[in-house]
Amino acid sequence: MNTVYSSIKGLGFYVPDTIVTNDDLTQYMDTSDAWIQERTGIKQRRFFTYGKETNASMAAAASRQALDRAGLVPKDVELIVYATLSPDYYFPGSAFLMQRELELEGIAVIDIRQQCSGFVYGLSIADQFIKTGMYKTVLVVGSEIQSTLMDKTTEGRNVAVIFGDGAGAAVVQATTDPEHRILSTHLHADGRYAEELYLKDPGSSRPDHFITADTATAGGSSVVMNGNAVFKHAVVRFMEVINEGLTANGYQATDLSLLVPHQANIRISGYIQQQMNLPDEKVFNNIQKYGNTTAASIPIALTEAYEQGRIQSGDLVCLAAFGSGFTWASALIKW
Ligand code: COA
């Protein structure tokens, strides 16, 4: 019997039309285009329009594109793995809403909460379900509406300038071709740092009802980040988890065709690139246009890289992420 592997058969993404430049942000807070570009590399990001987009509708649009490009239709999907930190509802998760939108009632859905590592975790879940033979076609999505989670005043500026909205999706399918497949995935987490980048409310950590007039004004409903701590851990963990993937498969950095890092900060990507001695053409960045879209960042970047011809059949592609939790993860793919 042939061994079953999984491979990415189609990619898609959706970003809202509304472009918010760094200069636009200066209306709400004391910041500048020069500061944001120098510290993060970001020039602009997209913000959703209420009434036009939802977390699930953006994910559905990205998924339709990915399915179309795979030559498939929604009815071919057997499982949805949905990564987001900004769901439409507290519960049920947005996977249910996207399933409804794609008219896929009855199939399994899994919502996961791994923040910036969500897409790579999702890919790993898809890979495991496919390799066991339980499913043949899995849709993995990352979607975020983060523009409503941030304090857009000067007090929240270290967070508010970084994050944006958008969605990306990948169709993962069973294959028996050992030359074109997901080689391995590597997942990690360290909850000791949970509060270094988190959103407290609405949550059950409050003494009374989880949303009251007091909790609404207690400052827990905007993302809080210790930027320095995140930066320091990110650069170490990114390197570790990329090398873990390469070593597990007998490769070295020089064998990589393309690294698609989670788009956290251009300085983090730049540090990794320098440490791994990779030329510019082997690292893909699009944070300049979209900011950090958390779970959506890797599938958006991967789709754009593919569209631009930066990924060819047979290429060795590494996806790597780090984020709130802390979580970090990588996937090594023979395209
Ligand atoms: N505009 C202007 N000034 C700002 C600012 C903004 N948007 N945000 C912070 N500042 C100010 C601070 O108030 C501080 O002023 P002070 O010196 O008068 O106190 C100064 O800039 C330096 O702040 P600091 O937080 O030390 O800056 P930094 O160089 O660490 O950059 C981040 C801040 C957030 C850009 C940086 O820490 C970072 O990128 N961290 C990683 C974040 C990340 O990747 N998160 C996602 C993980 S998935």
Side-chain angles (χ1 to χ4, degrees), residues 1 8 54 67 73 75 87 164 169 173 193 232 251 262 270 299 311 321:
M1 205 176 80
I8 295 180
T54 67
L67 284 162
V73 293
K75 288 280 179 245
Q173 261 198 326
Y193 302 100
K232 283 181 190 149
Y251 288 114
H262 162 55
I311 301 173

Side-chain angles (χ1 to χ4, degrees), residues 52 125 129 188 197 242:
K52 183 177 176 205
I125 292 167
F129 271 111
H188 298 279
L197 175 50
I242 294 167

Side-chain angles (χ1 to χ4, degrees), residues 87-104:
D88 297 284
Y89 301 142
Y90 189 75
F91 75 82
S94 292
F96 295 82
L97 309 184
M98 188 184 87
Q99 185 221 46
R100 182 171 67 190
E101 190 155 336
L102 295 179
E103 298 180 358
L104 290 176

Side-chain angles (χ1 to χ4, degrees), residues 31-43:
T31 189
S32 67
D33 178 48
W35 194 96
I36 299 170
Q37 284 208 48
E38 189 195 317
R39 305 290 173 111
T40 70
I42 299 165
K43 295 178 192 236

Side-chain angles (χ1 to χ4, degrees), residues 240-280:
E240 278 178 12
V241 82
I242 294 167
N243 284 324
E244 187 181 353
L246 290 170
T247 305
N249 294 283
Y251 288 114
Q252 299 174 0
T254 46
D255 297 317
L256 269 182
S257 311
L258 190 69
L259 172 66
V260 182
H262 162 55
Q263 302 294 294
N265 183 318
I266 202 84
R267 290 191 297 149
I268 294 176
S269 299
Y271 178 85
I272 301 163
Q273 178 177 346
Q274 186 196 29
Q275 290 294 304
M276 297 188 72
N277 212 7
L278 294 172
D280 286 351

Side-chain angles (χ1 to χ4, degrees), residues 90-161:
Y90 189 75
F91 75 82
S94 292
F96 295 82
L97 309 184
M98 188 184 87
Q99 185 221 46
R100 182 171 67 190
E101 190 155 336
L102 295 179
E103 298 180 358
L104 290 176
E105 54 280 356
I107 71 160
V109 302
I110 301 175
D111 277 278
I112 59 168
R113 306 187 56 179
Q114 268 58 34
Q115 296 66 252
C116 297
S117 304
F119 181 80
V120 181
Y121 264 75
L123 208 55
S124 182
I125 292 167
D127 188 40
Q128 311 314 314
F129 271 111
I130 288 171
K131 286 196 291 204
T132 62
M134 185 154 172
Y135 297 118
K136 290 192 172 55
T137 304
V138 181
L139 197 50
V140 181
V141 301
S143 183
E144 305 286 1
I145 291 180
Q146 304 183 106
S147 52
T148 56
L149 304 180
M150 302 179 300
D151 171 2
K152 297 193 205 71
T153 69
T154 297
E155 206 177 332
R157 64 185 177 178
N158 71 319
V159 174
V161 301

